[in-house]
Amino acid sequence: MDHHKSGAWRLFPVILIAGLLFLLTDSRAVAGKIRVACVGDSITYGDGVPQRHTQGWPGKLQQLLGTGYQVANFGHSGATMLKNGGLPYWKTAEYKAATSFDPNIVIIMLGTNDAKPQNWSKFGSQFTANAEEMIRHFARLKAHPKIYICTPPPLIHANSGISEAMLIRGPIPDIYTTGHAMNVPVIPVYAELRRFFKTHGADVYYQADGIHPNAAGQKQIAQLIFQFLQRVP
């Protein structure tokens, strides 16, 4: 056999393997998406919002982020951050699903149901510890995600025993405390929406209960979260 041909044949397996590795890597780069887990309660779930999968804030965030991202809604109606609350997020199927999703980014928005008197009066002192534990849980995932924690949106009418004053005195300051302690960015959903409502009004962005944003309100939440992600990647 010709010496040059023999050398080429010896190199063939190496070239073939290198080519396959290139194709595999390239395929993953094209097919791979940044996974975003939206963790929350009924506001994140999109309770009462028609076509919630596309009109809720996670769906709207998907549209804003584009095709390079896979945004998943892991909201559970009634859920609390408090492990001893009325419906701990920790015990939901969505908590397990968000964990299995192995996200690259986690956005947590809990606290509205924690502000209910029966939850906060008994267990409010545990909120910060529980929030820190949830952040540590997601931080330990294989993808080592970037984690953000949000303050809940405003309440424009007291309902279900929850008042704006209770939200301000209870979960919201504890969320900032948690973010500072864990070096996790806090997305100021409450403050930003309150500022927005001063010039645009609030009623047209909420459902009749005054707690759940409607599709227009959900869009505003998505936009401010998107803008924050651009500023604090």
Side-chain angles (χ1 to χ4, degrees):
M1 181 179 289
D2 183 271
H3 175 72
H4 294 292
K5 290 182 179 179
S6 176
W9 277 108
R10 283 198 297 270
L11 287 173
F12 181 75
V14 177
I15 295 170
L16 179 61
I17 292 170
L20 288 173
L21 286 173
F22 172 79
L23 290 173
L24 181 61
T25 303
D26 185 61
S27 175
R28 285 175 177 171
V30 172
K33 294 178 183 288
I34 298 172
R35 298 179 302 281
V36 182
C38 301
V39 170
D41 50 33
S42 57
I43 294 170
T44 298
Y45 176 82
D47 192 34
V49 178
Q51 300 177 333
R52 69 175 186 87
H53 292 293
T54 55
Q55 300 304 308
W57 74 258
K60 287 295 183 184
L61 184 62
Q62 173 72 78
Q63 296 167 29
L64 291 167
L65 288 172
T67 56
Y69 291 77
Q70 181 184 357
V71 181
N73 187 335
F74 296 106
H76 187 100
S77 296
T80 62
M81 174 70 79
L82 290 167
K83 283 189 159 186
N84 289 312
L87 203 172
Y89 187 80
W90 308 82
K91 296 182 179 180
T92 66
E94 286 78 7
Y95 172 71
K96 295 178 181 178
T99 300
S100 299
F101 187 56
D102 193 26
N104 305 108
I105 298 173
V106 180
I107 303 171
I108 302 170
M109 189 192 292
L110 289 164
T112 300
N113 294 301
D114 298 89
K116 292 178 179 178
Q118 65 269 30
N119 290 324
W120 197 259
S121 61
K122 294 179 180 178
F123 309 112
S125 62
Q126 302 169 12
F127 186 94
T128 301
N130 291 168
E132 289 180 359
E133 185 178 346
M134 183 172 287
I135 289 169
R136 282 193 293 270
H137 166 77
F138 285 113
R140 287 193 293 264
L141 296 181
K142 185 178 179 180
H144 300 296
K146 175 75 174 181
I147 301 171
Y148 300 83
I149 188 167
C150 305
T151 54
L155 277 64
I156 63 170
H157 305 304
N159 205 327
S160 301
I162 313 171
S163 69
E164 178 102 340
M166 190 171 294
L167 198 64
I168 295 171
R169 290 197 305 267
I172 288 178
D174 280 7
I175 288 169
Y176 280 103
T177 298
T178 299
H180 179 74
M182 302 296 291
N183 196 29
V184 166
V186 177
I187 303 180
V189 172
Y190 177 88
E192 290 296 322
L193 282 183
R194 267 290 163 220
R195 188 176 297 112
F196 177 82
F197 293 155
K198 284 182 179 179
T199 54
H200 295 81
D203 286 345
V204 294
Y205 294 95
Y206 276 78
Q207 299 177 46
D209 64 5
I211 294 177
H212 295 91
N214 58 21
Q218 294 273 349
K219 182 179 179 180
Q220 289 302 315
I221 292 173
Q223 287 177 338
L224 70 88
I225 290 176
F226 173 73
Q227 291 165 2
F228 190 91
L229 295 179
Q230 305 310 298
R231 296 196 306 269
V232 188

